[in-house]
mmCIF file of all heavy atoms in Angstrom:
data_model
loop_
_atom_site.group_PDB
_atom_site.id
_atom_site.type_symbol
_atom_site.label_atom_id
_atom_site.label_comp_id
_atom_site.label_asym_id
_atom_site.label_seq_id
_atom_site.Cartn_x
_atom_site.Cartn_y
_atom_site.Cartn_z
ATOM 1 N N ILE R 3 -12.321 -13.460 6.586
ATOM 2 C CA ILE R 3 -11.291 -12.645 6.073
ATOM 3 C C ILE R 3 -11.264 -11.217 6.685
ATOM 4 O O ILE R 3 -12.286 -10.644 6.882
ATOM 5 C CB ILE R 3 -11.537 -12.267 4.513
ATOM 6 C CG1 ILE R 3 -11.539 -13.715 3.656
ATOM 7 C CG2 ILE R 3 -10.551 -11.300 3.954
ATOM 8 C CD1 ILE R 3 -12.029 -13.520 2.308
ATOM 9 N N ILE R 4 -10.075 -10.950 7.271
ATOM 10 C CA ILE R 4 -9.924 -9.568 7.828
ATOM 11 C C ILE R 4 -8.944 -8.799 6.894
ATOM 12 O O ILE R 4 -7.805 -9.409 6.481
ATOM 13 C CB ILE R 4 -9.235 -9.728 9.219
ATOM 14 C CG1 ILE R 4 -10.138 -10.599 10.166
ATOM 15 C CG2 ILE R 4 -8.936 -8.432 9.793
ATOM 16 C CD1 ILE R 4 -9.472 -10.974 11.441
ATOM 17 N N VAL R 5 -9.270 -7.708 6.636
ATOM 18 C CA VAL R 5 -8.351 -6.716 5.819
ATOM 19 C C VAL R 5 -7.882 -5.602 6.515
ATOM 20 O O VAL R 5 -8.662 -4.910 7.268
ATOM 21 C CB VAL R 5 -9.145 -6.298 4.516
ATOM 22 C CG1 VAL R 5 -8.320 -5.037 3.839
ATOM 23 C CG2 VAL R 5 -9.252 -7.305 3.458
ATOM 24 N N VAL R 6 -6.707 -5.437 6.631
ATOM 25 C CA VAL R 6 -5.943 -4.196 7.302
ATOM 26 C C VAL R 6 -5.878 -3.088 6.332
ATOM 27 O O VAL R 6 -5.095 -3.301 5.266
ATOM 28 C CB VAL R 6 -4.674 -4.619 7.903
ATOM 29 C CG1 VAL R 6 -4.019 -3.432 8.621
ATOM 30 C CG2 VAL R 6 -4.796 -5.837 8.827
ATOM 31 N N TYR R 7 -6.513 -2.087 6.502
ATOM 32 C CA TYR R 7 -6.542 -0.879 5.630
ATOM 33 C C TYR R 7 -5.632 0.184 6.100
ATOM 34 O O TYR R 7 -5.582 0.367 7.283
ATOM 35 C CB TYR R 7 -8.061 -0.470 5.478
ATOM 36 C CG TYR R 7 -8.278 0.624 4.517
ATOM 37 C CD1 TYR R 7 -8.324 0.425 3.165
ATOM 38 C CD2 TYR R 7 -8.202 2.003 4.966
ATOM 39 C CE1 TYR R 7 -8.561 1.566 2.246
ATOM 40 C CE2 TYR R 7 -8.239 3.144 4.144
ATOM 41 C CZ TYR R 7 -8.566 2.836 2.724
ATOM 42 O OH TYR R 7 -8.549 3.909 1.847
ATOM 43 N N ALA R 8 -5.135 0.939 5.161
ATOM 44 C CA ALA R 8 -4.469 2.121 5.585
ATOM 45 C C ALA R 8 -4.540 3.047 4.214
ATOM 46 O O ALA R 8 -4.366 2.618 3.034
ATOM 47 C CB ALA R 8 -3.042 1.943 6.024
ATOM 48 N N GLU R 9 -4.491 4.363 4.466
ATOM 49 C CA GLU R 9 -4.539 5.280 3.331
ATOM 50 C C GLU R 9 -3.134 5.238 2.466
ATOM 51 O O GLU R 9 -2.170 4.873 3.201
ATOM 52 C CB GLU R 9 -4.830 6.614 3.764
ATOM 53 C CG GLU R 9 -6.224 6.963 4.450
ATOM 54 C CD GLU R 9 -7.257 6.823 3.389
ATOM 55 O OE1 GLU R 9 -7.002 6.910 2.188
ATOM 56 O OE2 GLU R 9 -8.461 6.781 3.881
ATOM 57 N N LYS R 10 -3.270 5.443 1.314
ATOM 58 C CA LYS R 10 -2.080 5.308 0.518
ATOM 59 C C LYS R 10 -0.860 6.191 0.954
ATOM 60 O O LYS R 10 0.149 5.707 0.964
ATOM 61 C CB LYS R 10 -2.470 5.647 -1.005
ATOM 62 C CG LYS R 10 -1.247 5.454 -1.937
ATOM 63 C CD LYS R 10 -1.651 5.614 -3.475
ATOM 64 C CE LYS R 10 -0.411 5.521 -4.376
ATOM 65 N NZ LYS R 10 -0.770 5.658 -5.781
ATOM 66 N N VAL R 11 -1.220 7.285 1.450
ATOM 67 C CA VAL R 11 -0.073 8.297 1.848
ATOM 68 C C VAL R 11 0.679 7.540 2.986
ATOM 69 O O VAL R 11 1.906 7.636 3.057
ATOM 70 C CB VAL R 11 -0.569 9.666 2.242
ATOM 71 C CG1 VAL R 11 -1.558 9.513 3.426
ATOM 72 C CG2 VAL R 11 0.498 10.560 2.489
ATOM 73 N N HIS R 12 0.007 6.982 3.865
ATOM 74 C CA HIS R 12 0.634 6.232 5.105
ATOM 75 C C HIS R 12 1.361 4.978 4.587
ATOM 76 O O HIS R 12 2.542 4.754 5.088
ATOM 77 C CB HIS R 12 -0.381 5.776 6.108
ATOM 78 C CG HIS R 12 -1.201 7.014 6.628
ATOM 79 N ND1 HIS R 12 -0.573 7.964 7.384
ATOM 80 C CD2 HIS R 12 -2.506 7.350 6.732
ATOM 81 C CE1 HIS R 12 -1.465 8.966 7.785
ATOM 82 N NE2 HIS R 12 -2.657 8.376 7.312
ATOM 83 N N ARG R 13 0.800 4.329 3.650
ATOM 84 C CA ARG R 13 1.473 3.202 3.127
ATOM 85 C C ARG R 13 2.750 3.437 2.404
ATOM 86 O O ARG R 13 3.782 2.773 2.507
ATOM 87 C CB ARG R 13 0.579 2.354 2.266
ATOM 88 C CG ARG R 13 -0.730 1.768 2.915
ATOM 89 C CD ARG R 13 -1.671 1.279 1.765
ATOM 90 N NE ARG R 13 -1.170 0.098 1.154
ATOM 91 C CZ ARG R 13 -1.622 -0.356 0.035
ATOM 92 N NH1 ARG R 13 -2.601 0.230 -0.600
ATOM 93 N NH2 ARG R 13 -1.155 -1.462 -0.605
ATOM 94 N N MET R 14 2.714 4.484 1.694
ATOM 95 C CA MET R 14 3.958 5.052 0.898
ATOM 96 C C MET R 14 5.055 5.267 1.831
ATOM 97 O O MET R 14 6.188 4.796 1.657
ATOM 98 C CB MET R 14 3.546 6.119 0.090
ATOM 99 C CG MET R 14 2.672 5.858 -1.104
ATOM 100 S SD MET R 14 3.509 5.446 -2.641
ATOM 101 C CE MET R 14 4.373 6.886 -3.069
ATOM 102 N N GLN R 15 4.737 5.974 2.909
ATOM 103 C CA GLN R 15 5.646 6.486 3.850
ATOM 104 C C GLN R 15 6.402 5.196 4.618
ATOM 105 O O GLN R 15 7.603 5.127 4.824
ATOM 106 C CB GLN R 15 5.171 7.340 4.767
ATOM 107 C CG GLN R 15 6.253 8.140 5.636
ATOM 108 C CD GLN R 15 7.166 8.957 4.837
ATOM 109 O OE1 GLN R 15 6.736 9.770 4.031
ATOM 110 N NE2 GLN R 15 8.469 8.650 5.026
ATOM 111 N N ARG R 16 5.449 4.239 4.919
ATOM 112 C CA ARG R 16 5.901 3.080 5.572
ATOM 113 C C ARG R 16 6.917 2.256 4.738
ATOM 114 O O ARG R 16 7.925 1.693 5.203
ATOM 115 C CB ARG R 16 4.788 2.327 5.968
ATOM 116 C CG ARG R 16 3.908 2.819 7.243
ATOM 117 C CD ARG R 16 2.725 2.036 7.318
ATOM 118 N NE ARG R 16 1.749 2.756 8.477
ATOM 119 C CZ ARG R 16 0.583 2.400 8.597
ATOM 120 N NH1 ARG R 16 -0.070 1.493 7.877
ATOM 121 N NH2 ARG R 16 -0.174 3.021 9.516
ATOM 122 N N ILE R 17 6.542 2.116 3.406
ATOM 123 C CA ILE R 17 7.401 1.338 2.605
ATOM 124 C C ILE R 17 8.696 2.082 2.515
ATOM 125 O O ILE R 17 9.778 1.346 2.495
ATOM 126 C CB ILE R 17 6.660 1.245 1.188
ATOM 127 C CG1 ILE R 17 5.392 0.372 1.499
ATOM 128 C CG2 ILE R 17 7.557 0.421 0.150
ATOM 129 C CD1 ILE R 17 4.584 0.428 0.184
ATOM 130 N N VAL R 18 8.650 3.397 2.303
ATOM 131 C CA VAL R 18 9.871 4.171 2.064
ATOM 132 C C VAL R 18 10.854 3.978 3.275
ATOM 133 O O VAL R 18 12.037 3.700 3.144
ATOM 134 C CB VAL R 18 9.697 5.668 1.647
ATOM 135 C CG1 VAL R 18 10.815 6.399 1.941
ATOM 136 C CG2 VAL R 18 8.903 5.767 0.379
ATOM 137 N N ASN R 19 10.112 4.147 4.420
ATOM 138 C CA ASN R 19 11.018 4.110 5.644
ATOM 139 C C ASN R 19 11.675 2.603 5.903
ATOM 140 O O ASN R 19 12.614 2.511 6.393
ATOM 141 C CB ASN R 19 10.232 4.511 6.871
ATOM 142 C CG ASN R 19 9.845 6.065 6.727
ATOM 143 O OD1 ASN R 19 10.526 6.734 6.097
ATOM 144 N ND2 ASN R 19 8.927 6.469 7.463
ATOM 145 N N ARG R 20 10.757 1.612 5.698
ATOM 146 C CA ARG R 20 10.892 0.386 6.102
ATOM 147 C C ARG R 20 11.984 -0.360 5.112
ATOM 148 O O ARG R 20 12.954 -1.036 5.544
ATOM 149 C CB ARG R 20 9.735 -0.534 5.999
ATOM 150 C CG ARG R 20 9.886 -2.063 6.490
ATOM 151 C CD ARG R 20 8.683 -2.863 6.215
ATOM 152 N NE ARG R 20 8.348 -2.983 4.731
ATOM 153 C CZ ARG R 20 7.179 -3.234 4.237
ATOM 154 N NH1 ARG R 20 6.128 -3.257 5.065
ATOM 155 N NH2 ARG R 20 7.026 -3.254 2.919
ATOM 156 N N ASP R 21 11.867 -0.163 3.747
ATOM 157 C CA ASP R 21 12.632 -0.839 2.837
ATOM 158 C C ASP R 21 13.613 0.060 2.134
ATOM 159 O O ASP R 21 14.445 -0.480 1.461
ATOM 160 C CB ASP R 21 11.622 -1.355 1.718
ATOM 161 C CG ASP R 21 10.633 -2.285 2.230
ATOM 162 O OD1 ASP R 21 10.906 -2.886 3.228
ATOM 163 O OD2 ASP R 21 9.520 -2.437 1.638
ATOM 164 N N GLY R 22 13.756 1.285 2.572
ATOM 165 C CA GLY R 22 14.777 2.144 1.977
ATOM 166 C C GLY R 22 14.738 2.353 0.484
ATOM 167 O O GLY R 22 15.757 2.383 -0.196
ATOM 168 N N VAL R 23 13.557 2.417 -0.064
ATOM 169 C CA VAL R 23 13.260 2.677 -1.425
ATOM 170 C C VAL R 23 12.762 3.927 -1.714
ATOM 171 O O VAL R 23 12.402 4.679 -0.773
ATOM 172 C CB VAL R 23 12.225 1.512 -2.108
ATOM 173 C CG1 VAL R 23 12.830 0.103 -1.813
ATOM 174 C CG2 VAL R 23 10.872 1.710 -1.407
ATOM 175 N N SER R 24 12.649 4.440 -3.032
ATOM 176 C CA SER R 24 12.235 5.614 -3.427
ATOM 177 C C SER R 24 10.684 5.615 -3.514
ATOM 178 O O SER R 24 9.993 4.536 -3.272
ATOM 179 C CB SER R 24 12.745 6.123 -4.875
ATOM 180 O OG SER R 24 11.972 5.114 -5.771
ATOM 181 N N GLU R 25 9.972 6.826 -3.397
ATOM 182 C CA GLU R 25 8.602 6.902 -3.483
ATOM 183 C C GLU R 25 8.117 6.204 -4.828
ATOM 184 O O GLU R 25 7.009 5.781 -4.847
ATOM 185 C CB GLU R 25 8.156 8.330 -3.391
ATOM 186 C CG GLU R 25 8.410 8.849 -2.034
ATOM 187 C CD GLU R 25 7.607 10.298 -1.852
ATOM 188 O OE1 GLU R 25 7.046 10.786 -2.811
ATOM 189 O OE2 GLU R 25 7.817 10.862 -0.845
ATOM 190 N N GLU R 26 8.851 6.428 -5.858
ATOM 191 C CA GLU R 26 8.460 5.882 -7.175
ATOM 192 C C GLU R 26 8.417 4.255 -6.950
ATOM 193 O O GLU R 26 7.422 3.678 -7.400
ATOM 194 C CB GLU R 26 9.449 6.106 -8.243
ATOM 195 C CG GLU R 26 9.098 5.509 -9.508
ATOM 196 C CD GLU R 26 10.062 5.792 -10.638
ATOM 197 O OE1 GLU R 26 11.125 6.571 -10.336
ATOM 198 O OE2 GLU R 26 9.903 5.469 -11.838
ATOM 199 N N GLN R 27 9.450 3.654 -6.419
ATOM 200 C CA GLN R 27 9.375 2.210 -6.197
ATOM 201 C C GLN R 27 8.264 1.693 -5.153
ATOM 202 O O GLN R 27 7.575 0.742 -5.311
ATOM 203 C CB GLN R 27 10.771 1.795 -5.552
ATOM 204 C CG GLN R 27 11.952 1.889 -6.624
ATOM 205 C CD GLN R 27 13.161 1.652 -5.986
ATOM 206 O OE1 GLN R 27 13.533 2.280 -4.956
ATOM 207 N NE2 GLN R 27 14.010 0.650 -6.501
ATOM 208 N N ALA R 28 7.971 2.645 -4.122
ATOM 209 C CA ALA R 28 6.990 2.254 -3.270
ATOM 210 C C ALA R 28 5.579 2.385 -3.981
ATOM 211 O O ALA R 28 4.751 1.423 -3.756
ATOM 212 C CB ALA R 28 6.974 3.290 -2.149
ATOM 213 N N GLY R 29 5.384 3.238 -4.964
ATOM 214 C CA GLY R 29 4.240 3.292 -5.689
ATOM 215 C C GLY R 29 4.062 2.127 -6.660
ATOM 216 O O GLY R 29 2.958 1.683 -6.836
ATOM 217 N N LEU R 30 5.191 1.551 -7.089
ATOM 218 C CA LEU R 30 5.191 0.418 -8.013
ATOM 219 C C LEU R 30 4.707 -0.770 -7.202
ATOM 220 O O LEU R 30 3.949 -1.601 -7.644
ATOM 221 C CB LEU R 30 6.537 0.145 -8.706
ATOM 222 C CG LEU R 30 6.870 1.158 -9.869
ATOM 223 C CD1 LEU R 30 8.253 0.824 -10.257
ATOM 224 C CD2 LEU R 30 5.898 0.966 -11.067
ATOM 225 N N ALA R 31 5.198 -0.885 -5.993
ATOM 226 C CA ALA R 31 4.898 -1.987 -5.148
ATOM 227 C C ALA R 31 3.257 -2.003 -4.809
ATOM 228 O O ALA R 31 2.657 -3.073 -4.935
ATOM 229 C CB ALA R 31 5.693 -1.956 -3.858
ATOM 230 N N ILE R 32 2.829 -0.834 -4.562
ATOM 231 C CA ILE R 32 1.476 -0.712 -4.277
ATOM 232 C C ILE R 32 0.527 -1.014 -5.508
ATOM 233 O O ILE R 32 -0.404 -1.662 -5.498
ATOM 234 C CB ILE R 32 1.028 0.739 -3.796
ATOM 235 C CG1 ILE R 32 1.539 0.773 -2.403
ATOM 236 C CG2 ILE R 32 -0.443 0.888 -3.760
ATOM 237 C CD1 ILE R 32 1.555 2.319 -1.774
ATOM 238 N N SER R 33 1.027 -0.561 -6.664
ATOM 239 C CA SER R 33 0.272 -0.761 -7.927
ATOM 240 C C SER R 33 0.284 -2.166 -8.403
ATOM 241 O O SER R 33 -0.627 -2.591 -9.115
ATOM 242 C CB SER R 33 0.844 0.220 -8.982
ATOM 243 O OG SER R 33 0.739 1.381 -8.596
ATOM 244 N N ALA R 34 1.299 -3.027 -7.835
ATOM 245 C CA ALA R 34 1.374 -4.288 -8.285
ATOM 246 C C ALA R 34 0.329 -5.285 -7.554
ATOM 247 O O ALA R 34 0.108 -6.395 -7.981
ATOM 248 C CB ALA R 34 2.652 -4.905 -8.004
ATOM 249 N N GLN R 35 -0.436 -4.720 -6.715
ATOM 250 C CA GLN R 35 -1.494 -5.508 -5.995
ATOM 251 C C GLN R 35 -2.845 -4.931 -6.210
ATOM 252 O O GLN R 35 -3.013 -3.807 -6.740
ATOM 253 C CB GLN R 35 -1.130 -5.319 -4.419
ATOM 254 C CG GLN R 35 0.224 -5.874 -4.011
ATOM 255 C CD GLN R 35 0.448 -5.885 -2.453
ATOM 256 O OE1 GLN R 35 -0.413 -5.282 -1.791
ATOM 257 N NE2 GLN R 35 1.393 -6.443 -2.055
ATOM 258 N N TYR R 36 -3.807 -5.741 -5.795
ATOM 259 C CA TYR R 36 -5.205 -5.206 -5.910
ATOM 260 C C TYR R 36 -5.302 -4.021 -5.160
ATOM 261 O O TYR R 36 -4.683 -3.751 -4.116
ATOM 262 C CB TYR R 36 -6.199 -6.313 -5.409
ATOM 263 C CG TYR R 36 -6.475 -7.498 -6.280
ATOM 264 C CD1 TYR R 36 -5.821 -7.656 -7.432
ATOM 265 C CD2 TYR R 36 -7.370 -8.410 -5.926
ATOM 266 C CE1 TYR R 36 -5.977 -8.838 -8.207
ATOM 267 C CE2 TYR R 36 -7.705 -9.465 -6.714
ATOM 268 C CZ TYR R 36 -6.965 -9.701 -7.834
ATOM 269 O OH TYR R 36 -7.136 -10.814 -8.665
ATOM 270 N N SER R 37 -6.386 -3.035 -5.376
ATOM 271 C CA SER R 37 -6.552 -1.909 -4.624
ATOM 272 C C SER R 37 -6.932 -2.334 -3.197
ATOM 273 O O SER R 37 -7.796 -3.229 -3.063
ATOM 274 C CB SER R 37 -7.534 -0.944 -5.299
ATOM 275 O OG SER R 37 -8.798 -1.444 -5.109
ATOM 276 N N LEU R 38 -6.534 -1.616 -2.344
ATOM 277 C CA LEU R 38 -6.962 -1.974 -0.900
ATOM 278 C C LEU R 38 -8.454 -1.573 -0.637
ATOM 279 O O LEU R 38 -9.030 -2.390 0.170
ATOM 280 C CB LEU R 38 -6.052 -1.181 0.041
ATOM 281 C CG LEU R 38 -5.865 -1.714 1.387
ATOM 282 C CD1 LEU R 38 -5.779 -3.164 1.502
ATOM 283 C CD2 LEU R 38 -4.753 -1.084 2.243
ATOM 284 N N SER R 39 -8.978 -0.643 -1.365
ATOM 285 C CA SER R 39 -10.427 -0.445 -1.266
ATOM 286 C C SER R 39 -11.360 -1.698 -1.655
ATOM 287 O O SER R 39 -12.222 -2.039 -1.153
ATOM 288 C CB SER R 39 -10.804 0.872 -1.902
ATOM 289 O OG SER R 39 -10.191 1.973 -1.412
ATOM 290 N N ARG R 40 -10.719 -2.213 -2.869
ATOM 291 C CA ARG R 40 -11.392 -3.308 -3.460
ATOM 292 C C ARG R 40 -11.353 -4.620 -2.334
ATOM 293 O O ARG R 40 -12.387 -5.260 -2.153
ATOM 294 C CB ARG R 40 -10.840 -3.820 -4.788
ATOM 295 C CG ARG R 40 -11.330 -5.035 -5.430
ATOM 296 C CD ARG R 40 -10.535 -5.444 -6.587
ATOM 297 N NE ARG R 40 -11.034 -6.676 -7.226
ATOM 298 C CZ ARG R 40 -10.614 -7.204 -8.360
ATOM 299 N NH1 ARG R 40 -9.385 -6.658 -8.798
ATOM 300 N NH2 ARG R 40 -10.959 -8.279 -8.766
ATOM 301 N N LYS R 41 -10.269 -4.706 -1.847
ATOM 302 C CA LYS R 41 -10.013 -5.857 -0.747
ATOM 303 C C LYS R 41 -11.029 -5.659 0.377
ATOM 304 O O LYS R 41 -11.603 -6.621 0.779
ATOM 305 C CB LYS R 41 -8.522 -6.005 -0.274
ATOM 306 C CG LYS R 41 -7.608 -6.375 -1.476
ATOM 307 C CD LYS R 41 -6.132 -6.567 -0.934
ATOM 308 C CE LYS R 41 -5.235 -6.953 -1.897
ATOM 309 N NZ LYS R 41 -3.814 -7.202 -1.465
ATOM 310 N N ALA R 42 -10.939 -4.359 0.897
ATOM 311 C CA ALA R 42 -11.770 -4.051 1.965
ATOM 312 C C ALA R 42 -13.315 -4.364 1.836
ATOM 313 O O ALA R 42 -14.035 -4.857 2.534
ATOM 314 C CB ALA R 42 -11.641 -2.585 2.337
ATOM 315 N N SER R 43 -13.758 -4.066 0.456
ATOM 316 C CA SER R 43 -15.150 -4.377 0.088
ATOM 317 C C SER R 43 -15.504 -5.849 0.105
ATOM 318 O O SER R 43 -16.728 -6.097 0.180
ATOM 319 C CB SER R 43 -15.361 -3.693 -1.289
ATOM 320 O OG SER R 43 -14.852 -4.546 -2.396
ATOM 321 N N LEU R 44 -14.493 -6.809 0.069
ATOM 322 C CA LEU R 44 -14.709 -8.112 -0.024
ATOM 323 C C LEU R 44 -14.461 -8.898 1.416
ATOM 324 O O LEU R 44 -14.655 -10.097 1.440
ATOM 325 C CB LEU R 44 -13.846 -8.810 -0.950
ATOM 326 C CG LEU R 44 -14.026 -8.336 -2.562
ATOM 327 C CD1 LEU R 44 -12.829 -8.858 -3.455
ATOM 328 C CD2 LEU R 44 -15.286 -8.740 -3.001
#
């Protein structure tokens, strides 16, 4: 298992730029998944 990690601030900006969504929607998208720190630990 390889986990690709990035800080939340960078992820938020990438989602907003890529998908044309608001920061609120980007935050919802991130919150819908397991935390990336948790994934990295596994």
Side-chain angles (χ1 to χ4, degrees):
I3 298 172
I4 300 168
V5 165
V6 181
Y7 179 87
E9 296 292 343
K10 185 176 180 180
V11 62
H12 299 299
R13 297 172 65 197
M14 290 275 289
Q15 193 59 54
R16 288 170 185 164
I17 297 167
V18 168
N19 292 340
R20 182 190 68 200
D21 299 338
V23 299
S24 66
E25 289 190 359
E26 180 181 2
Q27 289 172 308
L30 285 173
I32 290 173
S33 298
Q35 300 178 355
Y36 287 8
S37 77
L38 203 42
S39 296
R40 178 183 177 189
K41 292 182 180 183
S43 72
L44 298 171

